[in-house]
Amino acid sequence: MSLFTTRYERASFFDEMFGASGEFRPHYRRLAERLDTLSEGEFNQRRAAVDLAFLRRGVTFTVYDNTEGTERIFPFDLLPRIIPAREWTRIEAGLIQRLTALNLFLHDIYHEQKILKDKVVPAAQVFSAKHFRREFMNFSVPRDVYVHICGSDLIRDHDGNYMVLEDNLRCPSGASYMIENRAAMRRAFPNLFESYRVRPVEGYAETLLKSLLHIAPAGCDHPNVVVLTPGVCNSAYFEHTFLARQMGVPIVEGRDLVVRNSCVYMRTIGGLVPVHVIYRRIDDDFLDPTVFRPDSVLGVPGLVGAYRSGNVSLANSIGTGVADDKVIYAYVPKMIRYYLDEDPILPNVKTYLASEPADRKFILENIGKLVVKSANEAGGYGMLIGPASTEAEIADFRAKVAAQPRNFIAQDPIQLSRAPTWCDGSLEGRHIDLRPYILHGEKITVTPGGLTRVALRRGSLVVNSSQGGGSKDTWVLQGDD
Amino acid sequence: MSGPTDRAPARMLLHLIHRTTFVYGGDARDSFNEVRLRPCDDENQACRQFSLRVSPESAVRDYTDFHGNTVHFFDVPEGHARLVIEAESEVETVPDASRAAPAPVGFDALAASPEREMQAEFLADSRYVPLAPEIWREVQDVLSGGRGDVWGDAVRLGRHIHSTFKYRPKTTGVTTTATDALKLRAGVCQDFAHVMLGMCRCAGLPARYVSGYFLNVDRLPGEVEASHAWVEVFVPGQGWLGFDPTHNRSSDERYIKVGVGRDYADISPVSGTYRGAPTLSLDVDVKVSQLNSLTAVPG
């Protein structure tokens, strides 16, 4: 299958597989050689087998606001994304540095607020953040860890530099796809793994469980851990069941839990069973109707009181969303310097804040050339890619930004790197990003791998699964080729 | 203002009972509640005694919230047909004559004050107080003669609300925002306070909501004795000063402060959830009385 050199168009983007003069990058060479031995028929046979396996195993996600059915198979591309050890070492160090600073930031703004008093981050930006939880001021979270599970999105620019696009500090999803993608690849290309020395991602669930046990209330010999899901209608329900099964812990909905005397119990046919650690996949707003949204039926009344009393631990903690607000994101490099006295290893994308008058003027004048995002949306909802939008869409966003400046930021569009992707019978370059998973237990660890998302539509820069993105297995190598 | 000036006047001692009774049409259970009922301690008042009784009896815990208010929380898991929450307190207040009279402070001092940065949330919009154009326009009308000092402008805004709004119970509810009340030009103390917050914030004056009680000797027509609400405005060098747009006066020794927040949403006295039978009635009974024989200074 010598499709690479003849028909593949590299264009001016950074290509993961090919260097500037069209040669294979060293860490892709053996993959290319292997693919060369396959006929197109054999390749398609493996693709079909993998797709069928995903369908059978129910590896799905849910799309909201869509009339053509909501549950989808996550499209999978058979060509892996490969990261050599020297690149990964830097990514890993950068992510650990970033999460360390973010945890210190969360502790600070919910306690002494030194960073605000020193005017490194404007207090107004924190106080006006949608997910700043005043209710948890002065509350000390178990073992001082706010974010136990973090998924930060990385992209590469046209020179191949890794940059952080956003942090996800509430309920980041996708780890289950990382593990399922690996299982699919192992079946499709068993021999390739042997020769390539790919680092395993399968330890994720075990490390996750350890991180959860780490925050169990003191004096608890056999802590019971559960996964709390909003239910089958949630877009990540597959993942909730998957992780619960992998960790060997029960999965529960809000109505399965009950609070008695500030302790949490699970209703079982054998009676009430105490619960000590909750890996909750429900947003703060819905967690406890007594404290947050009174109309929530997903949560557990009294849960926040039990958490406050120290009888149950939550991962992630409450109020972490303030630090992944896209306005606060712009200040993360400053946080790293402030708390750690280090230079950020992974840079941010240049960001303009509509709430700052000079930036706002710049955004309104150049909106057609920028990417505009709302401060608190995720999943690629509520954003504008200026260069790819119509006049009407641009005018609509300009009005929104002018009306509610605190809710919008703008960024320079980044020409995301591309990777060869199988599209309708040929290999074509498609834009990709990378979501690695960082766990904070006794120490911070980054699972070697992650979810590489790929924008399957030609020219598209939006990789979110809810917006027509697919994924690739992500290989982190022991060595550099 | 009258009153003795040659010696420090005695403090006023106030007693208050705030009883909330929920009656359910059958069994209610898994009831979880948070209450903000304990009067705070500050330079103008001291809470000498406080007790909170809950029936059915239950263990009450407490914590201090973001704005420094005391929050008590408790749950009643077993079935019950009625829930009674009764808070009783004794509070000593500093007489108005002993409080420093507000001195004129200009806006430059406000902009330059070191507290300014941390008060961002009292200048921004909040759940009940959207900073809408119609509120801003109202401010422009009132202050059209030019700006004065910080406290003077706040008082002008408060007096404007008092003179152009009707005190009318039952026209507004717990969901009424400042813009709704402005449209009606009517409401109760909570609405008056929300409108004044909106106007102050639009005028660049940091303002916060105060929840508390008021020893009411000259009641407005239709006014019931209940919790009260007013506004505090930040004046550099003098701290937070209270103004009550419902009664058109600065807060004095007859005012008992429970706590502060951005608006009512931060400081509602009783909130909670339960499962089971519907609520048939909710009865709030507040009694404020004076324990020592001082006569109130006429307002």
Side-chain angles (χ1 to χ4, degrees):
Chain A
M1 200 178 82
S2 51
L3 294 163
F4 294 114
T5 42
T6 49
R7 276 149 55 187
Y8 185 77
E9 190 192 331
R10 270 182 301 115
S12 62
F13 305 101
F14 182 89
D15 196 283
E16 297 286 340
M17 195 174 211
F18 297 97
S21 47
E23 79 287 5
F24 287 114
R25 295 185 191 278
H27 49 281
Y28 274 98
R29 199 173 297 127
R30 266 174 299 147
L31 175 71
E33 283 163 7
R34 176 74 183 95
L35 290 175
D36 224 19
T37 65
L38 288 179
S39 71
E40 193 172 328
E42 281 172 309
F43 183 78
N44 282 331
Q45 205 174 15
R46 286 173 203 223
R47 266 183 353 103
V50 165
D51 286 349
L52 190 64
F54 278 128
L55 187 64
R56 285 220 181 108
R57 294 165 68 100
V59 186
T60 62
F61 70 101
T62 307
V63 181
Y64 300 125
D65 296 335
N66 191 314
T67 46
E68 313 164 17
T70 52
E71 212 172 336
R72 301 270 180 82
I73 295 288
F74 198 9
F76 178 72
D77 185 67
L78 212 48
L79 271 71
R81 185 247 186 97
I82 303 176
I83 302 174
R86 65 185 139 71
E87 283 177 16
W88 183 254
T89 309
R90 193 175 167 76
I91 292 174
E92 190 176 31
L95 292 171
I96 291 174
Q97 178 193 52
R98 200 169 171 99
L99 187 58
T100 306
L102 285 166
N103 258 307
L104 289 169
F105 172 72
L106 285 164
H107 185 276
D108 188 20
I109 58 162
Y110 286 115
H111 292 83
E112 301 85 6
Q113 304 190 326
K114 282 194 226 116
I115 199 166
L116 307 183
K117 287 168 187 155
D118 289 343
K119 300 190 184 198
V120 176
V121 175
Q125 302 286 25
V126 171
F127 293 154
S128 61
K130 187 174 159 198
H131 299 286
F132 178 57
R133 299 293 175 193
R134 286 168 172 72
E135 296 86 346
F136 274 87
M137 197 65 199
N138 292 321
F139 176 73
S140 290
V141 302
R143 303 213 185 235
D144 274 345
V145 181
Y146 279 83
V147 178
H148 313 83
I149 300 106
C150 169
S152 290
D153 290 344
L154 305 181
I155 56 173
R156 300 182 84 176
D157 66 9
H158 59 277
D159 293 321
N161 300 310
Y162 287 94
M163 314 171 96
V164 181
L165 185 64
E166 63 183 56
D167 301 292
N168 294 283
L169 307 174
R170 284 170 275 166
C171 301
S173 54
S176 59
Y177 303 123
M178 162 178 82
I179 299 167
E180 283 287 359
N181 285 354
R182 179 58 53 86
M185 284 302 278
R186 279 194 196 284
R187 282 192 300 275
F189 297 101
N191 299 328
L192 203 50
F193 277 88
E194 259 172 49
S195 68
Y196 239 118
R197 293 199 301 150
V198 178
R199 295 180 62 185
V201 294
E202 288 85 350
Y204 177 81
E206 194 187 328
T207 314
L208 174 60
L209 183 59
K210 271 192 199 146
S211 307
L212 296 171
L213 291 170
H214 179 65
I215 53 166
C220 179
D221 291 339
H222 300 286
N224 287 329
V225 178
V226 298
V227 175
L228 174 62
T229 175
V232 295
C233 293
N234 186 270
S235 65
Y237 184 70
F238 163 75
E239 169 149 316
H240 306 161
T241 59
F242 178 88
L243 292 175
R245 201 167 52 229
Q246 290 263 315
M247 290 191 287
V249 305
I251 180 166
V252 297
E253 293 182 21
R255 58 189 171 174
D256 299 321
L257 298 180
V258 60
V259 178
R260 293 273 183 270
N261 198 21
S262 292
C263 292
V264 181
Y265 298 89
M266 173 172 50
R267 300 178 212 267
T268 74
I269 48 169
L272 295 181
V273 173
V275 171
H276 305 101
V277 182
I278 301 177
Y279 176 28
R280 49 96 171 207
R281 296 293 298 255
I282 295 184
D283 286 340
D284 289 355
D285 268 340
F286 298 96
L287 210 49
D288 179 349
T290 315
V291 179
F292 301 117
R293 279 179 61 158
D295 55 341
S296 166
V297 292
L298 300 175
V300 186
L303 180 59
V304 168
Y307 183 48
R308 217 186 269 292
S309 307
N311 297 329
V312 72
S313 301
L314 298 177
N316 290 342
S317 183
I318 292 172
T320 56
V322 59
D324 71 12
D325 182 299
K326 291 188 179 67
V327 172
I328 301 297
Y329 156 89
Y331 295 95
V332 176
K334 285 184 179 165
M335 283 175 209
I336 293 172
R337 290 195 185 92
Y338 181 79
Y339 293 115
L340 307 176
D341 200 19
E342 294 171 9
D343 284 326
I345 298 169
L346 294 171
N348 266 12
V349 175
K350 170 81 182 141
T351 301
Y352 309 92
L353 305 177
S355 53
E356 303 293 307
D359 280 11
R360 177 161 67 243
K361 186 164 174 287
F362 178 83
I363 295 171
L364 293 174
E365 283 167 6
N366 297 284
I367 195 162
K369 297 176 201 145
L370 297 169
V371 176
V372 184
K373 297 175 177 176
S374 34
N376 287 297
E377 294 275 356
Y381 292 99
M383 66 186 276
L384 171 91
I385 297 181
S389 302
T390 64
E391 278 303 317
E393 286 166 341
I394 290 173
D396 179 44
F397 258 79
R398 191 182 281 124
K400 282 189 194 164
V401 172
Q404 292 185 302
R406 172 59 179 85
N407 289 340
F408 291 93
I409 59 143
Q411 293 174 331
D412 289 332
I414 300 292
Q415 294 305 327
L416 303 188
S417 64
R418 297 204 313 187
T421 302
W422 188 255
C423 302
D424 292 330
S426 68
L427 283 175
E428 293 183 18
R430 287 290 182 268
H431 295 292
I432 59 169
D433 79 346
L434 172 64
R435 176 178 288 184
Y437 295 92
I438 310 126
L439 294 171
H440 193 335
E442 213 169 329
K443 57 188 174 68
I444 301 178
T445 52
V446 186
T447 303
L451 186 65
T452 292
R453 296 182 299 179
V454 48
L456 292 174
R457 259 180 296 153
R458 179 193 287 270
S460 170
L461 291 167
V462 185
V463 296
N464 303 83
S465 53
S466 46
Q467 314 285 326
S471 77
K472 286 169 169 287
D473 191 15
T474 308
W475 293 3
V476 172
L477 304 185
Q478 304 272 13
D480 284 330
D481 57 16
Chain B
M1 195 147 289
S2 62
T5 49
D6 50 339
R7 61 191 169 84
R11 294 178 159 219
M12 187 183 264
L13 189 59
L14 296 150
H15 175 260
L16 74 98
I17 287 194
H18 182 152
R19 186 189 300 118
T20 310
T21 309
F22 294 91
V23 176
Y24 306 107
D27 256 359
R29 63 197 149 72
D30 291 339
S31 170
F32 291 87
N33 303 277
E34 279 201 349
V35 302
R36 288 170 168 85
L37 293 169
R38 187 193 186 278
C40 68
D41 295 296
D42 67 6
E43 59 274 22
N44 291 324
Q45 68 176 45
C47 180
R48 295 296 178 210
Q49 267 187 49
F50 177 77
S51 62
L52 186 70
R53 288 181 291 272
V54 179
S55 159
E57 211 173 303
S58 93
V60 178
R61 298 158 198 257
D62 65 88
Y63 69 96
T64 303
D65 76 7
F66 181 74
H67 297 106
N69 311 308
T70 303
V71 185
H72 289 93
F73 64 104
F74 61 88
D75 57 82
V76 185
E78 71 274 18
H80 52 285
R82 61 196 274 137
L83 174 66
V84 184
I85 305 163
E86 187 180 87
E88 184 172 5
S89 12
E90 266 179 45
V91 182
E92 207 173 73
T93 58
V94 173
D96 203 38
S98 303
R99 302 184 189 184
V105 175
F107 284 91
D108 301 345
L110 185 63
S113 80
E115 298 94 344
R116 174 71 178 67
E117 177 73 18
M118 297 302 281
Q119 285 164 353
E121 61 179 340
F122 298 117
L123 283 163
D125 50 359
S126 56
R127 171 121 57 106
Y128 286 100
V129 187
L131 299 187
E134 54 266 42
I135 296 181
W136 183 82
R137 233 175 271 129
E138 192 80 10
V139 172
Q140 303 312 307
D141 291 348
V142 179
L143 301 179
S144 57
R147 300 293 293 260
D149 65 286
V150 170
W151 178 244
D153 282 357
V155 171
R156 278 162 77 192
L157 296 174
R159 293 202 191 286
H160 169 78
I161 295 167
H162 178 77
S163 59
T164 62
F165 278 55
K166 293 237 178 338
Y167 185 88
R168 204 185 291 149
K170 298 197 169 76
T171 46
T172 56
V174 286
T175 56
T176 307
T177 63
T179 38
D180 299 336
L182 181 64
K183 212 172 288 165
L184 293 167
R185 293 204 168 266
V188 295
C189 57
Q190 178 181 325
D191 307 303
F192 282 49
H194 282 156
V195 175
M196 181 164 169
L197 288 176
M199 292 180 75
C200 286
R201 291 174 189 174
C202 282
L205 308 171
R208 62 187 190 183
Y209 185 95
V210 187
S211 159
Y213 307 94
F214 171 56
L215 176 64
N216 207 346
V217 287
D218 44 357
R219 216 164 279 180
L220 295 169
E223 188 176 1
V224 289
E225 187 156 32
S227 310
H228 192 50
W230 61 98
V231 167
E232 283 182 345
V233 176
F234 183 77
V235 182
Q238 299 172 60
W240 293 95
L241 304 179
F243 188 86
D244 176 1
T246 311
H247 294 103
N248 198 25
R249 65 165 85 90
S250 308
S251 60
D252 56 28
E253 66 271 23
R254 289 167 294 176
Y255 287 78
I256 302 169
K257 179 161 133 189
V258 169
V260 295
R262 288 165 296 174
D263 59 26
Y264 176 76
D266 281 343
I267 185 89
S268 67
V270 175
S271 63
T273 56
Y274 72 95
R275 295 180 209 266
T279 306
L280 291 185
S281 70
L282 161 59
D283 187 46
V284 181
D285 188 23
V286 175
K287 291 243 176 333
V288 186
S289 57
Q290 191 177 345
L291 288 177
N292 53 359
S293 59
L294 283 176
T295 46
V297 181

mmCIF file of all heavy atoms in Angstrom, chain B residues 45-67:
data_model
loop_
_atom_site.group_PDB
_atom_site.id
_atom_site.type_symbol
_atom_site.label_atom_id
_atom_site.label_comp_id
_atom_site.label_asym_id
_atom_site.label_seq_id
_atom_site.Cartn_x
_atom_site.Cartn_y
_atom_site.Cartn_z
ATOM 1 N N GLN B 45 -22.801 46.135 66.429
ATOM 2 C CA GLN B 45 -23.673 45.249 67.198
ATOM 3 C C GLN B 45 -22.908 44.027 67.708
ATOM 4 O O GLN B 45 -21.861 43.658 67.182
ATOM 5 C CB GLN B 45 -24.856 44.776 66.342
ATOM 6 C CG GLN B 45 -24.455 43.852 65.204
ATOM 7 C CD GLN B 45 -25.674 43.323 64.437
ATOM 8 O OE1 GLN B 45 -26.580 44.075 64.110
ATOM 9 N NE2 GLN B 45 -25.687 42.031 64.162
ATOM 10 N N ALA B 46 -23.442 43.426 68.783
ATOM 11 C CA ALA B 46 -22.853 42.205 69.325
ATOM 12 C C ALA B 46 -23.992 41.247 69.661
ATOM 13 O O ALA B 46 -24.981 41.645 70.268
ATOM 14 C CB ALA B 46 -22.047 42.523 70.572
ATOM 15 N N CYS B 47 -23.846 40.003 69.200
ATOM 16 C CA CYS B 47 -24.867 39.001 69.472
ATOM 17 C C CYS B 47 -24.533 38.358 70.823
ATOM 18 O O CYS B 47 -23.536 37.652 70.950
ATOM 19 C CB CYS B 47 -24.889 37.974 68.340
ATOM 20 S SG CYS B 47 -26.109 36.688 68.577
ATOM 21 N N ARG B 48 -25.340 38.642 71.842
ATOM 22 C CA ARG B 48 -25.049 38.163 73.199
ATOM 23 C C ARG B 48 -25.492 36.728 73.409
ATOM 24 O O ARG B 48 -24.911 35.996 74.193
ATOM 25 C CB ARG B 48 -25.731 39.066 74.236
ATOM 26 C CG ARG B 48 -25.215 40.487 74.256
ATOM 27 C CD ARG B 48 -23.750 40.511 74.662
ATOM 28 N NE ARG B 48 -23.225 41.867 74.639
ATOM 29 C CZ ARG B 48 -21.953 42.155 74.374
ATOM 30 N NH1 ARG B 48 -21.093 41.186 74.087
ATOM 31 N NH2 ARG B 48 -21.550 43.398 74.380
ATOM 32 N N GLN B 49 -26.560 36.358 72.764
ATOM 33 C CA GLN B 49 -27.081 35.003 72.939
ATOM 34 C C GLN B 49 -27.709 34.551 71.634
ATOM 35 O O GLN B 49 -28.334 35.353 70.934
ATOM 36 C CB GLN B 49 -28.176 35.006 74.004
ATOM 37 C CG GLN B 49 -27.658 34.706 75.396
ATOM 38 C CD GLN B 49 -28.811 34.566 76.363
ATOM 39 O OE1 GLN B 49 -29.767 33.844 76.084
ATOM 40 N NE2 GLN B 49 -28.728 35.263 77.478
ATOM 41 N N PHE B 50 -27.553 33.281 71.350
ATOM 42 C CA PHE B 50 -28.230 32.742 70.164
ATOM 43 C C PHE B 50 -28.546 31.275 70.394
ATOM 44 O O PHE B 50 -27.716 30.520 70.889
ATOM 45 C CB PHE B 50 -27.344 32.874 68.925
ATOM 46 C CG PHE B 50 -27.982 32.273 67.689
ATOM 47 C CD1 PHE B 50 -28.987 32.949 67.019
ATOM 48 C CD2 PHE B 50 -27.593 31.019 67.226
ATOM 49 C CE1 PHE B 50 -29.595 32.387 65.897
ATOM 50 C CE2 PHE B 50 -28.200 30.456 66.106
ATOM 51 C CZ PHE B 50 -29.198 31.150 65.441
ATOM 52 N N SER B 51 -29.747 30.879 70.074
ATOM 53 C CA SER B 51 -30.060 29.454 70.109
ATOM 54 C C SER B 51 -30.924 29.112 68.905
ATOM 55 O O SER B 51 -31.708 29.942 68.424
ATOM 56 C CB SER B 51 -30.781 29.093 71.407
ATOM 57 O OG SER B 51 -32.006 29.781 71.479
ATOM 58 N N LEU B 52 -30.728 27.912 68.415
ATOM 59 C CA LEU B 52 -31.500 27.446 67.262
ATOM 60 C C LEU B 52 -32.160 26.132 67.645
ATOM 61 O O LEU B 52 -31.481 25.181 68.019
ATOM 62 C CB LEU B 52 -30.575 27.241 66.063
ATOM 63 C CG LEU B 52 -31.259 26.883 64.749
ATOM 64 C CD1 LEU B 52 -32.046 28.062 64.194
ATOM 65 C CD2 LEU B 52 -30.231 26.441 63.712
ATOM 66 N N ARG B 53 -33.491 26.107 67.597
ATOM 67 C CA ARG B 53 -34.217 24.893 67.948
ATOM 68 C C ARG B 53 -34.905 24.355 66.700
ATOM 69 O O ARG B 53 -35.500 25.118 65.935
ATOM 70 C CB ARG B 53 -35.258 25.193 69.027
ATOM 71 C CG ARG B 53 -34.636 25.469 70.397
ATOM 72 C CD ARG B 53 -35.717 25.726 71.442
ATOM 73 N NE ARG B 53 -36.400 26.984 71.206
ATOM 74 C CZ ARG B 53 -35.977 28.166 71.696
ATOM 75 N NH1 ARG B 53 -34.885 28.229 72.430
ATOM 76 N NH2 ARG B 53 -36.653 29.269 71.441
ATOM 77 N N VAL B 54 -34.783 23.059 66.521
ATOM 78 C CA VAL B 54 -35.403 22.434 65.355
ATOM 79 C C VAL B 54 -36.312 21.314 65.840
ATOM 80 O O VAL B 54 -35.941 20.548 66.726
ATOM 81 C CB VAL B 54 -34.334 21.848 64.410
ATOM 82 C CG1 VAL B 54 -34.995 21.195 63.220
ATOM 83 C CG2 VAL B 54 -33.367 22.917 63.940
ATOM 84 N N SER B 55 -37.508 21.263 65.294
ATOM 85 C CA SER B 55 -38.426 20.182 65.632
ATOM 86 C C SER B 55 -38.957 19.584 64.333
ATOM 87 O O SER B 55 -39.442 20.323 63.485
ATOM 88 C CB SER B 55 -39.579 20.740 66.472
ATOM 89 O OG SER B 55 -40.678 19.869 66.413
ATOM 90 N N PRO B 56 -38.849 18.255 64.114
ATOM 91 C CA PRO B 56 -38.252 17.227 64.971
ATOM 92 C C PRO B 56 -36.782 17.542 65.286
ATOM 93 O O PRO B 56 -36.081 18.101 64.436
ATOM 94 C CB PRO B 56 -38.342 15.951 64.115
ATOM 95 C CG PRO B 56 -39.299 16.251 63.026
ATOM 96 C CD PRO B 56 -39.320 17.715 62.851
ATOM 97 N N GLU B 57 -36.382 17.140 66.477
ATOM 98 C CA GLU B 57 -35.046 17.447 66.948
ATOM 99 C C GLU B 57 -33.992 16.864 66.002
ATOM 100 O O GLU B 57 -34.158 15.759 65.505
ATOM 101 C CB GLU B 57 -34.869 16.833 68.336
ATOM 102 C CG GLU B 57 -33.930 17.639 69.213
ATOM 103 C CD GLU B 57 -33.909 17.089 70.615
ATOM 104 O OE1 GLU B 57 -34.990 17.016 71.243
ATOM 105 O OE2 GLU B 57 -32.813 16.721 71.055
ATOM 106 N N SER B 58 -32.928 17.639 65.756
ATOM 107 C CA SER B 58 -31.870 17.088 64.909
ATOM 108 C C SER B 58 -30.554 17.786 65.208
ATOM 109 O O SER B 58 -30.544 18.895 65.745
ATOM 110 C CB SER B 58 -32.255 17.191 63.435
ATOM 111 O OG SER B 58 -31.763 18.362 62.887
ATOM 112 N N ALA B 59 -29.449 17.121 64.886
ATOM 113 C CA ALA B 59 -28.122 17.675 65.177
ATOM 114 C C ALA B 59 -27.837 18.817 64.216
ATOM 115 O O ALA B 59 -27.936 18.653 63.000
ATOM 116 C CB ALA B 59 -27.069 16.583 65.030
ATOM 117 N N VAL B 60 -27.498 19.971 64.761
ATOM 118 C CA VAL B 60 -27.236 21.142 63.930
ATOM 119 C C VAL B 60 -25.736 21.395 63.878
ATOM 120 O O VAL B 60 -25.062 21.391 64.901
ATOM 121 C CB VAL B 60 -27.962 22.383 64.499
ATOM 122 C CG1 VAL B 60 -27.651 23.613 63.656
ATOM 123 C CG2 VAL B 60 -29.466 22.140 64.557
ATOM 124 N N ARG B 61 -25.207 21.549 62.677
ATOM 125 C CA ARG B 61 -23.795 21.901 62.503
ATOM 126 C C ARG B 61 -23.725 23.283 61.874
ATOM 127 O O ARG B 61 -24.730 23.773 61.355
ATOM 128 C CB ARG B 61 -23.103 20.917 61.554
ATOM 129 C CG ARG B 61 -23.092 19.495 62.052
ATOM 130 C CD ARG B 61 -22.901 18.563 60.858
ATOM 131 N NE ARG B 61 -23.305 17.215 61.221
ATOM 132 C CZ ARG B 61 -22.451 16.235 61.499
ATOM 133 N NH1 ARG B 61 -21.160 16.441 61.434
ATOM 134 N NH2 ARG B 61 -22.884 15.047 61.838
ATOM 135 N N ASP B 62 -22.553 23.884 61.870
ATOM 136 C CA ASP B 62 -22.471 25.197 61.247
ATOM 137 C C ASP B 62 -21.134 25.410 60.556
ATOM 138 O O ASP B 62 -20.172 24.690 60.808
ATOM 139 C CB ASP B 62 -22.699 26.304 62.279
ATOM 140 C CG ASP B 62 -21.614 26.349 63.315
ATOM 141 O OD1 ASP B 62 -20.593 27.031 63.088
ATOM 142 O OD2 ASP B 62 -21.755 25.678 64.366
ATOM 143 N N TYR B 63 -21.107 26.361 59.655
ATOM 144 C CA TYR B 63 -19.861 26.784 59.015
ATOM 145 C C TYR B 63 -19.982 28.267 58.669
ATOM 146 O O TYR B 63 -21.066 28.842 58.759
ATOM 147 C CB TYR B 63 -19.567 25.945 57.769
ATOM 148 C CG TYR B 63 -20.479 26.157 56.599
ATOM 149 C CD1 TYR B 63 -20.143 27.035 55.569
ATOM 150 C CD2 TYR B 63 -21.685 25.472 56.498
ATOM 151 C CE1 TYR B 63 -20.987 27.227 54.490
ATOM 152 C CE2 TYR B 63 -22.533 25.661 55.417
ATOM 153 C CZ TYR B 63 -22.175 26.536 54.413
ATOM 154 O OH TYR B 63 -23.013 26.734 53.340
ATOM 155 N N THR B 64 -18.877 28.855 58.329
ATOM 156 C CA THR B 64 -18.874 30.273 57.966
ATOM 157 C C THR B 64 -18.755 30.382 56.457
ATOM 158 O O THR B 64 -17.865 29.773 55.864
ATOM 159 C CB THR B 64 -17.682 30.979 58.638
ATOM 160 O OG1 THR B 64 -17.793 30.772 60.040
ATOM 161 C CG2 THR B 64 -17.701 32.470 58.363
ATOM 162 N N ASP B 65 -19.650 31.109 55.840
ATOM 163 C CA ASP B 65 -19.637 31.139 54.378
ATOM 164 C C ASP B 65 -18.674 32.204 53.834
ATOM 165 O O ASP B 65 -17.996 32.898 54.601
ATOM 166 C CB ASP B 65 -21.057 31.273 53.815
ATOM 167 C CG ASP B 65 -21.616 32.684 53.941
ATOM 168 O OD1 ASP B 65 -20.877 33.600 54.340
ATOM 169 O OD2 ASP B 65 -22.810 32.862 53.635
ATOM 170 N N PHE B 66 -18.653 32.321 52.534
ATOM 171 C CA PHE B 66 -17.738 33.205 51.825
ATOM 172 C C PHE B 66 -17.753 34.636 52.354
ATOM 173 O O PHE B 66 -16.722 35.283 52.483
ATOM 174 C CB PHE B 66 -18.125 33.201 50.342
ATOM 175 C CG PHE B 66 -17.262 34.059 49.481
ATOM 176 C CD1 PHE B 66 -15.984 33.648 49.164
ATOM 177 C CD2 PHE B 66 -17.714 35.272 48.994
ATOM 178 C CE1 PHE B 66 -15.175 34.431 48.361
ATOM 179 C CE2 PHE B 66 -16.908 36.061 48.189
ATOM 180 C CZ PHE B 66 -15.638 35.630 47.882
ATOM 181 N N HIS B 67 -18.947 35.142 52.664
ATOM 182 C CA HIS B 67 -19.055 36.534 53.102
ATOM 183 C C HIS B 67 -18.948 36.681 54.613
ATOM 184 O O HIS B 67 -19.207 37.746 55.146
ATOM 185 C CB HIS B 67 -20.364 37.137 52.595
ATOM 186 C CG HIS B 67 -20.442 37.202 51.101
ATOM 187 N ND1 HIS B 67 -21.226 36.362 50.356
ATOM 188 C CD2 HIS B 67 -19.778 37.971 50.217
ATOM 189 C CE1 HIS B 67 -21.065 36.631 49.068
ATOM 190 N NE2 HIS B 67 -20.194 37.595 48.954
#
